[in-house]
């Protein structure tokens, strides 16, 4: 399904007429021909080489070559993301490459970047090691400076009054005073950095391994340090370990290695600037290169679906195209022949199709989202009646019946309007999953919001608050005591409120019973109307089922809708449940006080008989017609024309029996019996299903009323600014989170169910397949 900015004359009720075509293309112009057809995007190629594996096909080498170039471009994209760069959206003039030149260029750049990355990694590690070395020197110098100051002060304090060999004299001081070198203890040390979270374990292991024969000093490094091995910022401590003897030294070194306490190396160089300049030059031309590689890869994939003719000098393509695109395709073929300097032009011919063509609807950015709602249920069969046209109105309207509040509708409208205003910016960006769905359905949502404002005016609700927008209420209280009474305590003093629900109903004890009755009956009327629309549309697919289905539905539920309207107009107190039940149980009894109009009893008998006649009418004629058509075809007419009076019957016979199997009348009769039972029972369940319009509308109204009265008005009642601010915040978050998000999603899903099940199952099979033409526009959107 295509999406464009403008709409030519089109028929959304039916898919575009399609044709099967064959194109014979000379080898010298094959590449350019496929390229021009990709720019046109109106030809769906059939794979004529299904018996060959991908490696056995003619252009497998070219595809492998394009795939390798695509791999290099993905590598460049990773480097650009690492540098924080994005592909330039400006075209690069004067930098056009052929595919061969681009392949060489990409290879050179990949080799250069790979070498630079290896060098940069070494340099960065050396740089980090030197930073750690600097920190160790700074902290270690502080250790020794403090130790030297402490030792000097102790020597001055004890030097005059302590004798050599005293138990109170420091050991190291005694060693320094010893003149015999062989008796002096030689101390070694190891310094470095250890991760802070491992420092305590490092200290315990050192103590246990050396049995306390080491001296460890640690100090905290205030700022995180970039680890040379991991390349990440890590909090570390500087340590100095003093030991005596080779065995202690070996143990200390092994423990340091185990804990990642880094030893120090010296080497440094700078090459990041050159790397950044190379990546920047790639970013300036990345989109151009990427598009070229994607196009080339898609062209060769398409060429692999073509077959050679017997002379091996031409390629033969077969595929589907819309009838209206014939002249455009022929122009593209002629242009490719001229630009390729080919001596022989491509040949375009129409073939007779035995298989069912793909389905193609021309849509624009407004109608495409509504068509996607229909296609999510199932793609229409070729030339099947398409509900997409009616979904543009019925879907947002049924949503609005459940979401009727013009305050909430305005909020939804403003948010969606913002998305539409900035659609050019957002369409070129990568959005999140939820944002992507909301943006893709922006025109559906704005239609939902417009209809919600309309139904909100009908319900007279603005965040559950009524307003006298279209005039004053028709009723006034007879006395002050009737404020909490029903309408019995009110008198009509003015003309009927001109539009929507009279605001006097809101806040009274009779509000809920009144709105319940109104919305329940309104739901039945809307449901019967939409189901009738579905049956009318079934005329386009199977005209022989249209009349009995229409008679059956309206004999029961059409009559119920008539009773609802008559009761509203006359103000009668008749019990509609009683009328409908006893229409079946006792059709000959007098109606008594439940009679709404003259002749109602006889009309009910007539409708009941009509419903009974409609059931065998739905069951018997279709199998007989299928049998008759089967016999006529096998008497000489082998193939049926593509456009026939009843395409659904013909396609059903040929799809289920392959056009050549024996016709099983009993099997078709059982199949039709199942459909008849499904329709009869479905008419009852589908009508009841539309009561969800009443239920969700009531739930939305009551939730809105609770948030307004129990949060906002309650906070207003306290004479405190703080409580009022808190109440407003809670009200805003509750309204947005529950009513504008959760209720929107709930009403959307229920409207979706009503369209898919209650509406579309009356006429729509949805077992076709989409027209999927070869197009560079769609290739550019796909990820490798």
């Amino acid at each position: 399904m295509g999406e464009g900015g403008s709409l030519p004359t089109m028929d959304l009720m039916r898919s575009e007429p399609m044709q099967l075509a064959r194109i014979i293309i000379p080898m010298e112009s094959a590449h350019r021909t496929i390229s021009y057809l990709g720019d046109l995007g109106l030809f769906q190629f059939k794979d004529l080489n299904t018996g060959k594996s991908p490696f056995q096909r003619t252009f497998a080498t070219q595809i492998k070559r394009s795939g390798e170039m695509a791999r290099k471009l993905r590598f460049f994209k990773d480097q650009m993301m690492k540098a924080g760069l994005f592909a330039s959206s400006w075209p690069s003039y004067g930098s056009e490459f052929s595919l061969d030149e681009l392949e060489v260029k990409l290879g050179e750049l990949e080799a250069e970047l790979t070498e630079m990355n290896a060098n940069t990694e070494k340099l960065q590690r050396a740089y980090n090691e030197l930073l750690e070395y600097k920190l160790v020197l700074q902290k270690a110098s502080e250790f020794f400076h403090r130790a030297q100051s402490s030792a000097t002060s102790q020597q001055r304090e004890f030097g005059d009054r302590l004798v050599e060999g005293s138990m109170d004299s420091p050991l190291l001081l005694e060693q320094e005073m010893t003149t015999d070198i062989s008796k002096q203890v030689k101390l070694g040390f190891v310094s470095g950095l250890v991760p802070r979270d491992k420092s305590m374990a490092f200290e315990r292991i050192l103590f246990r391994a050396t049995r306390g024969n080491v001296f460890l000093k640690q100090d905290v490094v205030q700022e995180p340090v970039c680890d040379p091995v991991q390349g990440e910022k890590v909090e570390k401590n500087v340590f100095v370990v003093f030991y005596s003897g080779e065995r202690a030294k070996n143990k200390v070194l092994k423990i340091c290695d185990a804990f990642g306490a880094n030893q120090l190396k010296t080497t440094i160089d700078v090459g990041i600037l050159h790397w950044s300049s190379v990546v920047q030059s790639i970013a300036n031309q990345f989109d151009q290169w990427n598009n070229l590689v994607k196009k080339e890869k898609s062209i060769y994939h398409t060429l692999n679906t073509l077959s050679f003719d017997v002379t091996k000098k031409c390629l033969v393509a077969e595929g589907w195209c819309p009838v209206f695109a014939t002249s455009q395709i022929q122009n593209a073929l002629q242009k490719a022949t001229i630009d390729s300097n080919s001596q022989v032009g491509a040949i375009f011919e129409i073939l007779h199709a035995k298989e069912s063509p793909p389905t193609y609807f021309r849509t624009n950015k407004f109608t495409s989202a509504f068509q996607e709602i229909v296609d999510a249920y199932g793609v229409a069969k070729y030339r099947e009646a398409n509900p997409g046209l009616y979904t543009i109105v019925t879907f947002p309207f049924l949503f609005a019946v459940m979401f009727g509040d013009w305050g909430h509708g305005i909020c939804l409208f403003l948010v969606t309007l913002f998305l539409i205003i900035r659609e050019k910016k957002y369409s070129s960006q990568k959005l999140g999953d939820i944002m992507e769905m909301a943006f893709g359905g922006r025109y559906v949502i704005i239609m939902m919001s417009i209809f919600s404002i309309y139904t909100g005016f009908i319900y007279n609700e603005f965040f559950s608050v009524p307003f006298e927008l279209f005039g004053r209420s028709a009723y006034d209280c007879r006395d002050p005591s009737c404020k909490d009474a029903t309408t019995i305590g009110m008198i009509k003093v003015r003309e009927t409120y001109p539009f929507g629900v009279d605001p006097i109903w809101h806040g009274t004890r009779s509000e809920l019973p009144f709105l319940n009755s109104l919305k329940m009956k309104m739901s039945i009327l809307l449901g019967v109307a939409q189901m009738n629309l579905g049956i009318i549309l079934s005329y386009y697919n199977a005209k022989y089922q249209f009349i009995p289905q229409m008679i059956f539905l309206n004999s029961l539920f059409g009559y119920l809708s008539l009773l609802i309207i008559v009761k509203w107009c006359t103000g009668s107190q008749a019990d509609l449940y009683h009328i409908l039940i006893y229409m079946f149980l006792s059709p000959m009894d007098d109606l008594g006080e439940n009679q709404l109009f003259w002749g109602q009893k006889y009309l009910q008998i007539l409708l009941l008989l009509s419903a009974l006649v409609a059931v065998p009418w739905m069951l018997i004629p279709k199998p007989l017609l299928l049998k008759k058509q089967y016999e006529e075809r096998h008497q000489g007419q082998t193939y049926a024309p593509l456009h026939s009076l009843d395409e659904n019957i013909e396609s059903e016979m040929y799809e289920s029996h392959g056009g050549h199997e024996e016709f099983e009348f009993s099997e078709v009769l059982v199949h039709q019996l199942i459909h008849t039972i499904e329709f009869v029972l479905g008419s009852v369940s589908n009508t009841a299903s539309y009561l969800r319009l009443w239920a969700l509308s009531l739930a939305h109204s009551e939730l809105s009323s609770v948030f307004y009265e129990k949060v906002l008005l309650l906070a207003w009642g306290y004479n405190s600014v703080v409580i009022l601010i808190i109440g407003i915040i809670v009200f805003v978050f509750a309204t947005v989170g529950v009513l504008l998000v959760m209720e929107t999603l709930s009403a959307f899903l229920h409207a979706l169910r009503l369209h898919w099940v209650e509406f579309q199952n009356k006429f729509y099979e949805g077992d076709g397949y989409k027209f999927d033409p070869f197009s560079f526009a769609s290739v550019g959107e796909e990820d490798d």
Side-chain angles (χ1 to χ4, degrees):
M1 179 169 53
E3 179 174 337
S6 61
L7 269 177
T9 303
M10 59 182 178
D11 178 16
L12 279 177
M13 267 299 298
R14 298 278 195 179
S15 60
E16 290 290 338
M18 305 294 290
Q19 59 190 6
L20 181 64
R22 175 184 292 146
I23 306 176
I24 302 175
I25 312 170
M27 281 296 296
E28 58 267 22
S29 63
H31 184 280
R32 197 177 297 271
T33 299
I34 300 300
S35 177
Y36 287 176
L37 290 177
D39 290 329
L40 186 61
L42 288 172
F43 194 88
Q44 176 179 328
F45 289 90
K46 295 175 65 176
D47 191 352
L48 303 179
N49 296 314
T50 53
K52 295 182 179 180
S53 69
F55 301 103
Q56 294 174 330
R57 302 199 178 195
T58 307
F59 300 96
T61 304
Q62 288 84 347
I63 291 177
K64 183 178 179 181
R65 174 191 179 194
S66 301
E68 180 64 19
M69 296 170 68
R71 182 197 62 79
K72 294 174 182 178
L73 286 170
R74 289 194 296 272
F75 169 70
F76 295 157
K77 188 174 183 179
D78 292 339
Q79 297 299 304
M80 288 160 53
M81 294 177 65
K82 184 178 178 182
L85 298 174
F86 297 95
S88 175
S89 58
W90 297 97
S92 300
Y93 296 103
S95 58
E96 296 291 336
F97 286 94
S98 67
L99 192 64
D100 295 333
E101 293 172 340
L102 181 60
E103 185 178 22
V104 174
K105 181 73 174 177
L106 295 182
E108 293 174 351
L109 288 172
E110 183 189 31
E112 184 178 1
L113 281 178
T114 301
E115 183 180 359
M116 291 171 64
N117 285 339
N119 293 335
T120 301
E121 186 178 352
K122 292 179 182 178
L123 296 174
Q124 190 64 43
R125 176 176 294 187
Y127 177 71
N128 293 333
E129 289 174 350
L130 290 174
L131 285 179
E132 290 192 349
Y133 182 45
K134 178 182 177 182
L135 290 172
V136 170
L137 291 177
Q138 290 175 349
K139 294 294 182 179
S141 64
E142 295 176 5
F143 294 160
F144 288 114
H145 179 73
R146 288 197 296 267
Q148 184 179 12
S149 300
S150 176
T152 303
S153 61
Q154 287 184 8
Q155 185 176 3
R156 289 175 180 173
E157 182 178 351
F158 296 110
D160 298 332
R161 56 190 179 85
L162 293 178
V163 282
E164 181 179 348
S166 171
M167 292 296 293
D168 295 329
S169 62
L171 292 177
L172 293 180
L173 180 63
E174 184 176 336
Q175 289 296 322
E176 289 178 0
M177 296 172 60
T178 302
T179 57
D180 189 355
I181 297 177
S182 62
K183 292 182 179 181
Q184 290 184 358
V185 178
K186 296 183 181 290
L187 293 178
F189 71 92
V190 174
S191 63
L193 286 90
V194 66
R196 191 171 303 167
D197 57 351
K198 298 181 181 179
S199 59
M200 295 302 296
F202 178 65
E203 185 173 348
R204 285 197 300 269
I205 295 297
L206 276 176
F207 181 82
R208 291 173 183 173
T210 61
R211 298 183 180 181
N213 292 320
V214 294
F215 177 75
L216 171 67
K217 183 68 176 177
Q218 295 191 64
D219 200 358
V220 175
V221 179
Q222 299 298 329
E223 298 295 331
V225 180
C226 188
D227 189 84
V229 178
Q230 299 177 3
E232 299 176 355
K233 294 282 187 178
V234 180
E235 293 184 338
K236 292 191 175 185
N237 291 352
V238 172
F239 69 89
V240 178
V241 181
F242 293 94
Y243 59 85
S244 175
E246 285 298 318
R247 290 185 62 188
K249 174 183 178 181
N250 293 333
K251 289 180 180 180
V252 170
L253 291 177
K254 288 179 180 179
I255 294 171
C256 288
D257 291 338
F259 278 83
N262 299 321
Q263 299 296 311
L264 308 173
K265 303 182 181 123
T266 308
T267 179
I268 194 166
D269 195 8
V270 177
I272 297 178
L273 184 60
H274 179 53
W275 176 83
S276 299
S277 64
V278 173
V279 175
Q280 180 65 61
S281 65
I282 292 174
N284 292 336
Q285 302 180 79
F286 181 82
D287 276 346
Q288 182 185 1
W289 296 346
N290 193 40
N291 290 335
L292 177 59
V293 171
K294 281 185 176 181
K295 285 185 177 182
E296 289 295 322
K297 190 174 181 181
S298 63
I299 288 172
Y300 286 116
H301 267 298
T302 304
L303 285 170
N304 264 345
T305 65
L306 277 56
S307 64
F308 277 105
D309 71 334
V310 291
T311 63
K312 299 293 184 180
K313 295 181 180 179
C314 295
L315 289 170
V316 179
E318 287 186 10
W320 297 100
C321 63
V323 174
F324 74 85
T326 302
S327 59
Q328 300 176 49
I329 293 174
Q330 290 174 338
N331 292 336
L333 297 178
Q334 184 178 2
K335 185 173 184 291
T337 301
I338 295 172
D339 292 347
S340 303
N341 296 322
S342 176
Q343 301 297 322
V344 182
I347 300 173
F348 180 85
E349 58 181 353
I350 307 299
L351 303 178
H352 178 71
K354 296 180 182 179
E355 58 191 289
S356 178
T359 303
Y360 174 51
F361 296 103
R362 280 187 284 182
T363 59
N364 60 13
K365 62 184 180 182
F366 177 78
T367 59
S368 61
F370 293 97
Q371 187 63 50
E372 287 295 332
I373 291 175
V374 176
D375 291 344
Y377 175 82
V379 179
K381 288 199 302 184
Y382 178 65
R383 305 295 287 169
E384 183 181 11
N386 177 33
L389 177 63
Y390 302 97
T391 303
I392 296 174
V393 176
T394 58
F395 184 85
F397 178 71
L398 291 184
F399 169 86
V401 171
M402 297 178 277
F403 195 78
D405 188 301
W406 62 278
H408 298 153
I410 289 174
C411 294
L412 207 60
F413 177 82
L414 293 176
V415 172
T416 317
L417 185 63
F418 175 77
L419 294 178
I420 293 175
I421 292 173
R422 308 198 67 182
E423 67 180 9
K424 287 186 178 179
K425 177 182 178 182
Y426 289 145
S427 59
S428 61
Q429 293 181 356
K430 200 163 188 178
L431 307 174
D433 292 338
I434 297 177
M435 186 64 180
E436 186 74 33
M437 285 191 294
F439 180 72
R442 58 195 180 278
Y443 290 104
V444 177
I445 299 175
I446 202 167
M447 288 293 288
M448 287 158 44
S449 64
I450 292 172
F451 277 94
S452 296
I453 295 172
Y454 169 72
T455 54
F457 285 139
I458 292 179
Y459 297 159
N460 203 345
E461 291 187 8
F462 177 83
F463 296 98
S464 80
V465 180
F467 285 89
E468 294 182 338
L469 295 175
F470 303 99
R472 296 188 63 188
S473 171
Y475 298 92
D476 269 341
C477 279
R478 183 176 295 143
D479 54 70
S481 64
C482 78
K483 278 292 185 184
D484 296 326
T486 62
T487 53
I488 298 175
M490 299 179 181
I491 56 174
K492 188 172 182 179
V493 295
R494 301 178 192 88
E495 292 294 327
T496 303
Y497 193 70
F499 186 82
V501 176
D502 194 314
I504 199 68
W505 288 102
H506 291 275
T508 63
R509 286 187 299 169
S510 58
E511 176 189 6
L512 197 56
F514 170 73
L515 292 179
N516 261 338
S517 176
L518 172 68
K519 292 182 178 180
M520 181 174 62
K521 292 180 174 65
M522 181 185 65
S523 300
I524 293 174
L525 292 176
L526 293 174
V528 173
Q530 190 177 37
M531 286 191 292
N532 270 287
L533 175 61
I535 295 175
I536 292 172
L537 292 176
S538 71
Y539 176 82
Y540 292 93
N541 295 337
K543 63 170 63 177
Y544 300 107
Q545 296 294 299
F546 162 73
I547 298 176
Q549 289 180 354
M550 181 68 75
I551 291 174
F552 181 84
L553 180 67
N554 288 291
S555 295
L556 304 180
F557 301 106
Y559 175 62
L560 176 60
S561 302
L562 175 65
L563 294 180
I564 291 172
I565 295 173
V566 172
K567 183 177 179 179
W568 279 348
C569 295
T570 60
S572 172
Q573 298 298 317
D575 187 350
L576 301 185
Y577 297 113
H578 184 278
I579 294 174
L580 199 63
I581 291 171
Y582 281 90
M583 176 180 171
F584 292 93
L585 298 180
S586 304
M588 306 303 295
D589 291 352
D590 290 332
L591 297 174
E593 61 182 9
N594 288 323
Q595 183 166 335
L596 291 170
F597 52 88
W598 180 86
Q600 181 180 352
K601 173 183 174 181
Y602 302 104
L603 177 61
Q604 289 184 176
I605 295 173
L606 177 62
L607 293 175
L608 184 59
L609 292 174
S610 300
L612 293 176
V613 171
V615 175
W617 193 350
M618 285 186 281
L619 174 62
I620 298 174
K622 184 176 178 179
L624 294 175
L625 287 169
L626 286 174
K627 183 178 181 181
K628 182 181 178 182
Q629 290 180 358
Y630 175 83
E631 292 173 349
E632 289 177 351
R633 287 196 177 90
H634 280 69
Q635 288 176 359
Q637 185 181 356
T638 306
Y639 297 105
L642 192 59
H643 308 288
S644 61
L645 293 176
D646 198 341
E647 294 167 6
N648 187 62
I649 290 180
E650 294 181 2
S651 63
E652 181 179 338
M653 186 175 68
Y654 274 88
E655 287 173 8
S656 59
H657 302 289
H660 60 274
E661 295 181 5
E662 288 297 324
F663 182 81
E664 294 289 345
F665 181 79
S666 59
E667 182 180 333
V668 176
L669 185 62
V670 171
H671 186 264
Q672 187 61 24
L673 177 62
I674 294 173
H675 277 288
T676 302
I677 295 174
E678 182 183 10
F679 180 83
V680 171
L681 297 180
S683 298
V684 180
S685 62
N686 292 164
T687 305
S689 182
Y690 276 94
L691 293 176
R692 70 184 68 236
L693 298 174
W694 155 52
L696 266 78
S697 173
L698 186 65
H700 185 87
S701 176
E702 290 301 309
L703 276 174
S704 182
S705 179
V706 166
F707 292 150
Y708 176 71
E709 294 176 2
K710 303 302 181 183
V711 177
L712 196 60
L713 290 185
L714 191 63
W716 185 270
Y718 292 91
N719 294 323
S720 171
V721 177
V722 176
I723 294 178
L724 180 60
I725 293 174
I726 294 174
I728 292 173
I729 294 173
V730 173
F731 175 76
V732 169
F733 276 93
T735 299
V736 173
V738 177
L739 297 177
L740 293 182
V741 177
M742 294 178 62
E743 277 287 301
T744 299
L745 181 60
S746 175
F748 180 90
L749 293 176
H750 282 283
L752 198 63
R753 184 250 156 73
L754 289 176
H755 275 77
W756 283 357
V757 180
E758 278 69 34
F759 174 51
Q760 292 182 188
N761 73 349
K762 298 292 183 295
F763 66 98
Y764 189 68
E765 294 189 16
D767 55 355
Y769 63 102
K770 272 188 179 182
F771 176 59
D772 185 23
F774 171 62
S775 172
F776 289 143
S778 59
V779 167
E781 296 172 359
E782 295 175 358
D783 293 329
D784 289 331

